């Protein structure tokens, strides 16, 4: 059974709403999540992107090394503890992400090469019975 349900590429930026508008037009996408610090979209072909507010964001300088890393991966999971055991078992390590604000429970990790990513707990989409 797969532990990870889906992946979302997240771009850090100063104005997530504006960047989301650009990609919505490019991908014929619709918003799937909007909150004070994050906008997520899904394109007509299923492509998922999110844009996270970072007030200190600067434009990427690629290929120059300074400020060149401004993206990370979010992986959506049902069970954070199970997913963490898998990450650690494969050689990843938890990152200190205490105090992260947002509507979702999430945990930060680094892969064996040091690239950061986030596991986010997903909430069921089926309506409550009763």
């Amino acid at each position: 059974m797969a532990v990870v349900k889906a992946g979302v590429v997240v771009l850090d930026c100063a104005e997530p709403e504006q960047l989301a508008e650009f990609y919505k037009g490019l991908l014929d996408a619709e918003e799937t999540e909007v909150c004070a610090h994050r906008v997520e979209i899904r394109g007509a072909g299923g492509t998922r992107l999110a844009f996270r507010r970072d007030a200190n964001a600067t434009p990427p300088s690629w290929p120059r090394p300074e400020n060149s890393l401004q993206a990370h991966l979010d992986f959506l999971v049902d069970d954070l503890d199970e997913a963490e055991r898998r990450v650690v078992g494969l050689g990843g390590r938890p990152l200190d992400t205490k105090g992260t604000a947002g509507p979702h429970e999430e945990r930060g990790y680094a892969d064996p090469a040091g690239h950061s990513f986030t596991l986010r707990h997903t909430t069921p989409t089926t309506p409550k019975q009763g």
Side-chain angles (χ1 to χ4, degrees), residues 108-120:
Y109 300 88
D111 68 19
H115 301 107
S116 64
F117 64 94
T118 303
L119 297 177
R120 289 181 53 214

Side-chain angles (χ1 to χ4, degrees), residues 11-86:
L11 300 176
D12 293 342
C13 58
E15 298 292 335
E17 300 84 1
Q18 290 176 1
L19 197 54
E21 286 300 318
F22 170 83
Y23 282 100
K24 281 170 48 180
L26 183 65
L27 301 171
D28 192 25
E30 64 183 31
E31 292 177 350
T32 60
E33 176 184 321
V34 180
C35 63
H37 72 286
R38 179 185 169 104
V39 178
E40 186 172 317
I41 65 171
R42 183 184 314 252
T47 301
R48 295 175 65 176
L49 293 174
F51 310 95
R52 185 178 69 170
R53 187 176 315 283
D54 178 354
N56 298 316
T58 57
S61 61
W62 188 89
R64 297 184 324 270
E66 61 275 359
N67 296 322
S68 63
L69 176 64
Q70 294 197 3
H72 68 272
L73 298 173
D74 274 2
F75 295 105
L76 308 178
V77 300
D78 287 325
D79 185 327
L80 278 168
D81 293 330
E82 179 183 356
E84 181 171 288
R85 286 190 293 275
R86 173 82 58 93

